[in-house]
């Protein structure tokens, strides 16, 4: 087990900058998730850490040791690939044992580790099959097993669940979390799926355009997004954004809609963007800030109901109780607690409150 | 509307899966019948006759007599031996050279086209041209090969005077000419191996040589088998290069079975015996194909 740190890590392909000066310290045993849209550089960061991509500038350290110049095999890391990268002509046992054989781990020790990992992952009955005879979920487990048997300092996961169907993805996600709790090894995990990021991570790093937008625990990222991008990226359905101008303690949004922000502490002034999460909007008028709009679309999900509400030119999505069944065209009264309103600078897009 | 309906031809007007399949395959089946099945059957048929155009006599059915003659024909045995020797030397030779070329061509060059082009050129060159070019390369006085030997202080070799050196020159030429075909098939095979397997092996700790033995070679096996089948069959039919380089000399020592067939049918107009020789070559090719296919299937 080891800590990992990036110091002004950058990567260029020709003139295009893919990773732009990333500074990050990952603690020993931490589960860190790199999340971002495609092209954000998250996979490149992981591949540089693995040694599969050269570092353009900056430094990578594993366990305090600079590894920029080391080959992948010298870095004592194990990686789970998006397409699993299982050796198709080898059995599951040979796939699991390949890294051990290459590293000269004696046969009986290797066999013990293979059995242990197979038991842990529930693939003991598959050891003599080839990858072609396995389902997607089983292949995924073998890929994880191949990493586990190595007992590396750091596990790297590159979008490991993206080839699984939704149900299986949930199961394997839980297993990965259980695995981390059992092994305690540092994990660095790349995904574009914010649900995976929220559920798995000790800390989330949100990347965009090769740079870090925010680093924090899932709680911090969710409750205090650093900017509009983070606010919109984490949470489903996405945060609602309303352009507004604050004068005094009132935020005036389009179409005469106004929010009385006097319950907030220090109120910024000028052009802002208000952010409201769908799950924080309630039906009816209450102790919070009241507003109303016309129902456009209703999407019942069973556990709750998504209601898309037109407010002037803007559309706001609210996640309401399943008992709420407003009709399209109907005017609904809504409210939100002042503490749940996020205020972002309209120009810099950074959070002001 | 009711149209006259003949149930026998129902599949033509209302093609189900089976009818459609037959209709789609029919043109190809017809073509193969015309240019492969019929000539082969005709070959077998002719081989059973004493049919010489020089004798002026009509073809006479002789059963397997032509095959009996073959057993006592020393030229048949020499040309068969030469053919098998060329096959045994040039097929593995071209496989190794082709594999090396394919591995090089598969490396991440900045510009791929010069590499691919240099692979294609020997392949695109007609066999007879290659033979003529290499006949000059191996020319005892003006050839580039002897020139190089002299520069490095070796005795020049009079290539086409001795059976051994003639055969060596022919084999080298055949290997040069056919390696690129091997390389093209193997390159296509190499490109189907996902890069992530090599990355996984990198992370697992395997070096490049180990990756070659543990990943590249096993996953290349189907491509190798295909390349071997094609190359072996064409090697058994080797004609152009020895024909243009040595014309079978010195003293018939480099003549191949294909050249002997050509001599009997085209020069001597002995269609019966020539056909019988061709039947032997056909059966040899079939045998090789069946063996390779069995090997592939056995390794699954």
């Amino acid at each position: 087990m080891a800590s990992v740190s990036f110091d002004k890590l950058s990567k260029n392909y020709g003139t295009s900058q893919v990773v732009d000066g990333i500074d990050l310290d990952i603690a020993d045993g931490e589960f860190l998730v790199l999340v971002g849209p495609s092209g954000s550089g998250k996979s490149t960061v992981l591949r540089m850490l693995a040694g599969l991509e050269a570092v353009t500038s900056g430094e990578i350290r594993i366990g305090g040791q600079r590894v920029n110049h080391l080959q992948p095999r010298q870095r004592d890391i194990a990686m789970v690939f998006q397409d699993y990268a299982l050796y198709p002509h080898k059995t599951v046992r040979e796939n699991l044992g390949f890294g051990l054989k290459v590293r000269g781990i004696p046969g009986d020790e290797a066999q013990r580790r293979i059995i242990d990992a197979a038991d842990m992952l529930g693939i003991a009955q598959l050891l003599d099959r080839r990858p072609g005879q396995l389902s997607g979920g089983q292949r995924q487990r073998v890929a994880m097993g191949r990493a586990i048997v190595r007992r590396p300092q750091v596990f790297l996961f590159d979008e490991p669940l993206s080839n699984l169907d939704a149900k299986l993805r949930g199961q394997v996600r839980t297993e990965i979390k259980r695995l981390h709790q059992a092994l305690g090894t540092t994990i660095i995990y790349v995904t574009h799926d914010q649900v995976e990021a929220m559920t798995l991570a000790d800390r989330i790093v949100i990347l965009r355009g090769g740079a870090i937008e925010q680093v924090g625990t899932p709680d911090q990222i969710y409750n205090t997004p650093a900017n509009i991008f983070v606010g919109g990226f984490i949470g489903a359905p996405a945060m609602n954004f309303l352009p507004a101008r604050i004068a005094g303690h009132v935020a005036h949004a389009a179409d005469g809609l106004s929010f009385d922000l006097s319950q907030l502490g220090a109120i910024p002034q000028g052009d802002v963007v208000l952010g409201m999460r769908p799950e924080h909007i309630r039906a009816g008028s209450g102790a919070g800030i009241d507003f109303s709009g016309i129902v456009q679309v209703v999407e019942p999900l069973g556990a709750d109901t998504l209601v898309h509400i037109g407010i002037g030119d803007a559309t706001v999505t609210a996640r309401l109780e399943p008992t709420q069944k407003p009709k399209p065209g109907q005017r609904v009264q809504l409210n939100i607690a002042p503490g749940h309103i996020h205020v972002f600078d309209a120009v810099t897009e950074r959070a002001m409150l | 509307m009711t149209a006259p309906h003949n149930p026998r031809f129902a599949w033509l007007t209302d093609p189900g899966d089976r009818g459609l399949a037959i209709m789609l395959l029919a043109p190809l089946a017809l073509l193969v019948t015309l240019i492969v099945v019929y000539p082969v059957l005709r070959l077998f048929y002719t081989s059973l006759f004493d049919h010489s155009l020089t004798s002026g006599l009509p073809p006479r059915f002789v059963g397997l007599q032509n095959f009996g003659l073959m057993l006592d024909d020393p030229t048949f045995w020499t040309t068969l031996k030469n053919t098998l020797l060329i096959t045994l030397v040039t097929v593995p030779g071209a496989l190794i050279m082709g594999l090396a070329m394919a591995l090089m061509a598969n490396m991440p060059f900045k510009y791929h086209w010069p590499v691919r082009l240099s692979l294609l050129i020997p392949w695109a060159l007609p066999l007879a041209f290659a033979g003529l070019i290499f006949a000059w390369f191996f020319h005892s006085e003006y050839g580039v090969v002897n020139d190089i030997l002299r520069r490095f202080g070796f005795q020049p070799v009079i290539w086409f005077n001795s059976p051994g050196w003639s055969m060596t020159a022919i084999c080298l030429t055949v290997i040069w000419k056919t390696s690129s075909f091997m390389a093209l098939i193997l390159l296509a095979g190499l490109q189907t191996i996902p890069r992530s397997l090599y990355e996984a092996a990198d992370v697992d700790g395997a070096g490049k040589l180990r990756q070659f033995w543990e990943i590249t070679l096993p996953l290349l096996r189907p491509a190798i088998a295909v390349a071997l089948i094609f190359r072996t069959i064409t090697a058994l039919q080797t004609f152009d290069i020895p024909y243009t380089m040595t014309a079978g000399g010195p003293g018939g020592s480099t003549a191949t079975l294909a050249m002997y067939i050509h001599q009997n049918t085209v020069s001597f107009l002995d269609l019966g015996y020539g056909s019988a020789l061709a039947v032997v070559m056909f059966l040899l090719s079939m045998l090789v194909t069946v063996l390779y296919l069995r090997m592939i299937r056995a390794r699954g």
Side-chain angles (χ1 to χ4, degrees), chain A residues 220-290:
Chain A
Q220 290 168 340
I221 299 269
Y222 178 80
N223 290 317
T224 53
N227 52 40
I228 290 182
F229 175 77
V230 174
F233 191 77
I234 295 289
M239 185 184 270
N240 298 293
F241 294 108
L242 288 175
R245 170 181 288 258
I246 302 180
H249 55 82
V250 179
H252 299 279
D255 225 34
L257 179 70
S258 60
F259 294 88
D260 187 341
L261 302 178
S262 52
Q263 295 177 55
L264 299 177
I267 304 168
Q269 300 293 308
D271 288 332
V272 297
V273 173
L274 301 178
M276 296 181 287
R277 293 202 183 274
E279 53 272 35
H280 292 149
I281 298 174
R282 301 224 165 79
S285 51
I289 298 165
D290 290 343

Side-chain angles (χ1 to χ4, degrees), chain A residues 47 52 72-73 77 81 83 85-90 98-99 101-103 146 150, chain B residues 194-197 199-208 210-211 214-215 218-219:
Chain A
R47 292 171 58 81
L52 299 171
R73 61 176 169 276
I77 41 124
F81 291 81
D83 65 356
L86 300 178
Y87 310 120
H89 53 295
K90 294 183 188 291
F98 185 63
K101 187 171 88 174
V102 169
R103 282 162 199 270
R146 191 169 61 180
R150 291 256 321 280
Chain B
R195 205 169 66 123
S196 63
L197 292 187
E199 293 181 343
D202 267 340
V203 173
D204 264 346
K208 293 291 170 219
R210 187 121 200 187
Q211 289 180 19
E214 299 261 7
I215 297 171
L219 293 180

Side-chain angles (χ1 to χ4, degrees), chain B residues 88-153:
Chain B
L88 286 176
V89 172
T90 65
V91 172
L95 178 66
I96 292 166
M97 288 297 296
L99 185 57
M101 286 156 72
L103 289 171
M104 274 199 282
N106 201 35
M107 289 201 294
F109 284 109
K110 194 170 178 189
Y111 298 105
H112 276 288
W113 67 265
V115 185
R116 304 274 155 93
L117 188 67
S118 62
L119 276 191
L120 276 169
I121 285 175
W123 178 65
L125 204 66
L127 281 161
F129 278 18
L132 290 172
I133 293 169
F134 273 74
W136 277 105
F137 283 176
F138 287 108
H139 194 281
S140 53
E141 304 246 356
Y142 313 116
V144 67
V145 179
N146 274 354
D147 183 52
I148 292 169
L149 287 178
R150 279 194 207 97
R151 281 165 200 268
F152 281 94

